[in-house]
Amino acid sequence: MRHLEDRAVNRLAIDGKALWEGCILASCVHGVMLGEYPFIVNENAWFGELYITRNDEGGKAALAFSEDMELLMGMFDDRSSPRSKLVLSDQYARSHYKGASEFIQSAAQALSILFEDDVGQKKLPFVTTGFWEEEDQILSGDSYEDWFAHGGHIIKAQLMPFEEAMAYYEVKRSMDAKRMEIAERIYRERIKAPRARVVLKREEIAVLEASGPYNIGTCQEVFGQFGVVFEGER
């Protein structure tokens, strides 16, 4: 534990705005593919400005943004990390934000509730790394390499440039050309006007419905989390 408490604060080479855009792209792909693959419903979710994603290995990442889409902080639970073998505690979870402002430390303590796991008779936060924003810099008690190794890889796709990310999703989700086109259109409209409502057209809804007619209601709910509505929806 002591080696974590004594870590120096490092600057991570992360562009907060680009990461927000990457989360929006991941959510657009998630929405258009959900009809065909309903089991992925928990992979991406928005709760206001809080974005949560899960990977295939049970890892989880939560990213908090401001109302202006600025990255505030991130928290990560990597079940494949060697740190997962450490004794978990509130003190351990807080150590990832040592050196951050009082606001960030308070926010981290509140956010850690979403990362609680059963340890004996208690529920304790399972947090393997984290970062926060300060004066337009993303800071962490880990180097970029350690941050990525102990949880950052959970958002590797969200960190990719657009073209690289779309190629990744095309393979990972077996995306056809029509749904790739829909995902890109929604993405570009959303990042161009983050506060505006984006409308999924009737012909686009029909494409999604064709791949999973019984899951279209779930698609609609998921899109609604980040301001995308179906045409005709009030």
Side-chain angles (χ1 to χ4, degrees):
M1 177 72 69
R2 185 160 187 79
H3 74 286
L4 292 175
E5 295 178 342
D6 293 341
R7 291 178 300 179
V9 174
N10 300 277
R11 179 180 179 180
L12 303 186
I14 294 175
D15 182 323
K17 183 175 184 297
L19 180 53
W20 176 78
E21 292 179 356
C23 295
I24 291 296
L25 178 58
S27 300
C28 292
V29 170
H30 181 233
V32 301
M33 299 306 295
L34 196 54
E36 183 174 357
Y37 303 117
F39 57 85
I40 68 172
V41 65
N42 293 322
E43 286 190 3
N44 289 268
W46 288 90
F47 302 91
E49 281 70 51
L50 179 64
Y51 170 76
I52 297 178
T53 185
R54 294 172 172 82
N55 66 7
D56 297 336
E57 290 74 47
K60 178 168 64 176
L63 305 175
F65 296 91
S66 72
E67 292 183 354
D68 296 322
M69 294 76 200
E70 295 178 352
L71 180 61
L72 299 177
M73 63 176 296
M75 186 171 285
F76 302 84
D77 162 0
D78 178 13
R79 296 301 164 120
S80 64
S81 166
R83 291 178 179 173
S84 65
K85 296 180 173 59
L86 296 174
V87 176
L88 303 179
S89 68
D90 291 323
Q91 181 185 3
Y92 177 74
R94 289 196 303 269
S95 73
H96 297 296
Y97 302 91
K98 184 176 175 61
S101 68
E102 184 176 339
F103 168 77
I104 290 296
Q105 293 193 35
S106 296
Q109 184 172 1
L111 188 58
S112 68
I113 294 175
L114 300 179
F115 288 75
E116 285 185 341
D117 202 359
D118 291 320
V119 180
Q121 300 296 316
K122 299 181 179 180
K123 284 187 174 293
L124 296 173
F126 194 112
V127 181
T128 50
T129 190
F131 61 53
W132 68 93
E133 187 278 339
E134 185 177 308
E135 297 181 353
D136 297 323
Q137 297 182 31
I138 307 303
L139 305 177
S140 176
D142 284 316
S143 65
Y144 187 93
E145 292 74 17
D146 283 343
W147 165 77
F148 195 85
H150 295 293
H153 62 89
I154 295 170
I155 58 168
K156 65 178 182 180
Q158 289 85 340
L159 290 166
M160 293 177 183
F162 174 80
E163 296 295 343
E164 185 180 343
M166 285 302 284
Y168 169 83
Y169 293 130
E170 181 181 11
V171 174
K172 181 176 175 64
R173 290 291 172 228
S174 301
M175 295 182 73
D176 55 62
K178 287 184 178 179
R179 282 181 287 183
M180 287 186 69
E181 184 179 333
I182 294 169
E184 179 173 353
R185 185 191 72 79
I186 297 168
Y187 162 75
R188 295 206 180 279
E189 286 200 24
R190 167 52 63 232
I191 66 170
K192 181 179 179 180
R195 297 182 184 279
R197 189 173 73 161
V198 177
V199 178
L200 199 64
K201 302 172 185 176
R202 294 188 191 279
E203 56 269 28
E204 294 172 326
I205 297 169
V207 171
L208 306 188
E209 197 167 19
S211 65
Y214 302 109
N215 304 315
I216 200 68
T218 303
C219 291
Q220 188 172 6
E221 291 176 11
V222 167
F223 275 123
Q225 292 176 356
F226 59 106
V228 179
V229 300
F230 283 18
E231 187 173 354
E233 180 182 346
R234 294 181 178 227

